[in-house]
Amino acid sequence: GQNIDQPTEMTATEGAIVQINCTYQTSGFNGLFWYQQHAGEAPTFLSYNVLDGLEEKGRFSSFLSRSKGYSYLLLKELQMKDSASYLCAVTDSNYQLIWGAGTKLIIKP
Amino acid sequence: ETGVTQTPRHLVMGMTNKKSLKCEQHLGHNAMYWYKQSAKKPLELMFVYNFKEQTENNSVPSRFSPECPNSSHLFLHLHTLQPEDSALYLCASSQGQLSGANVLTFGAGSRLTVL
């Protein structure tokens, strides 16, 4: 079966750095997404990786290793507003999106 | 308005009621989706419409009935629901459907409680 694993919950301190991991086992691979979802709000697109390596966008970076079936989202200089759930999703060979259950990130002052 | 708008934001219904969820997108997208989001579970794809044609129905019970009158509007008609159907129902849209880099734009969701 197809599966995406990510930690259920993580806690970090304001101003620090946190890495949220995502491992996947899917039928083929056509890209990996990270979405951010604040409580009671719509998920919003953060990043897309299809080739191995690191994509940087301001305070957020996303890394992909296709051979390891592994990605991480790196958040630097954490702010209180970064408290949210982070959803990892993979597009398989049939262009179906397979979702992880999300990681709830709690930022403490 | 811009983006994807869902109404109502909150809905409480009995098991014998009939209600509808509405989704509207102003992005000029051609594909629209219904997802179910339950606590601590992955998003579950329910239905997909591409150019107003239903292209996915992921074994969803018949008590959920989608309708897509045009590429900007999507409805989810609900009848004789069960308490386990209580969840957040998310609507999303995208430029197309079959693409690896298919970015979804989501609405804020309709929180459904079935008593």
Side-chain angles (χ1 to χ4, degrees):
Chain A
Q2 308 206 85
N3 192 53
I4 306 256
D5 285 315
Q6 48 181 136
T8 302
E9 188 173 298
M10 299 181 70
T11 303
T13 305
E14 190 178 14
I17 299 173
V18 71
Q19 178 175 310
I20 303 174
N21 295 326
C22 170
T23 57
Y24 62 89
Q25 294 167 321
T26 56
S27 302
F29 177 85
N30 275 305
L32 184 144
F33 294 87
W34 285 97
Y35 284 81
Q36 179 191 58
Q37 185 178 22
H38 286 101
E41 297 184 16
T44 55
F45 169 75
L46 284 179
S47 68
Y48 172 72
N49 294 68
V50 67
L51 299 176
D52 291 349
L54 189 68
E55 296 274 347
E56 296 186 74
K57 248 190 218 181
R59 294 187 300 113
F60 291 11
S61 302
S62 56
F63 172 82
L64 174 67
S65 169
R66 288 172 296 171
S67 63
K68 295 181 179 178
Y70 168 70
S71 172
Y72 66 73
L73 182 68
L74 191 72
L75 291 74
K76 301 178 184 176
E77 301 168 17
L78 286 170
Q79 302 176 10
M80 297 303 293
K81 67 179 182 179
D82 298 329
S83 291
S85 288
Y86 292 85
L87 312 179
C88 175
V90 170
T91 309
D92 70 9
S93 56
N94 294 318
Y95 299 104
Q96 303 297 311
L97 254 185
I98 313 301
W99 293 86
T103 298
K104 182 178 180 180
L105 178 63
I106 300 168
I107 309 297
K108 295 186 174 179
Chain B
E1 288 193 58
T2 59
V4 179
T5 304
Q6 289 188 244
T7 55
R9 291 295 310 276
H10 300 274
L11 179 62
V12 179
M13 59 188 288
M15 289 191 284
T16 58
N17 291 158
K18 287 185 182 180
K19 297 285 184 183
S20 296
L21 306 181
K22 179 183 175 181
C23 176
E24 189 172 355
Q25 58 98 358
H26 303 275
L27 300 167
H29 287 168
N30 297 310
M32 295 188 77
Y33 309 75
W34 280 117
Y35 277 94
K36 177 182 179 181
Q37 186 174 37
S38 303
K40 299 185 179 180
K41 288 186 177 179
L43 288 178
E44 295 176 49
L45 179 64
M46 300 175 73
F47 302 104
V48 182
Y49 280 81
N50 199 25
F51 291 95
K52 300 188 301 176
E53 298 296 321
Q54 185 175 316
T55 56
E56 294 279 345
N57 177 344
N58 280 0
S59 303
V60 180
S62 59
R63 57 186 184 269
F64 295 91
S65 174
E67 179 190 358
C68 187
N70 56 61
S71 57
S72 298
H73 294 84
L74 186 64
F75 295 89
L76 188 62
H77 304 299
L78 317 169
H79 62 98
T80 59
L81 294 190
Q82 304 298 311
E84 60 264 29
D85 297 322
S86 298
L88 181 68
Y89 289 85
L90 290 167
C91 174
S93 69
S94 66
Q95 188 63 47
Q97 184 187 354
L98 295 179
S99 166
N102 200 26
V103 177
L104 298 178
T105 302
F106 286 89
S110 293
R111 172 71 61 187
L112 173 66
T113 303
V114 181
L115 302 177

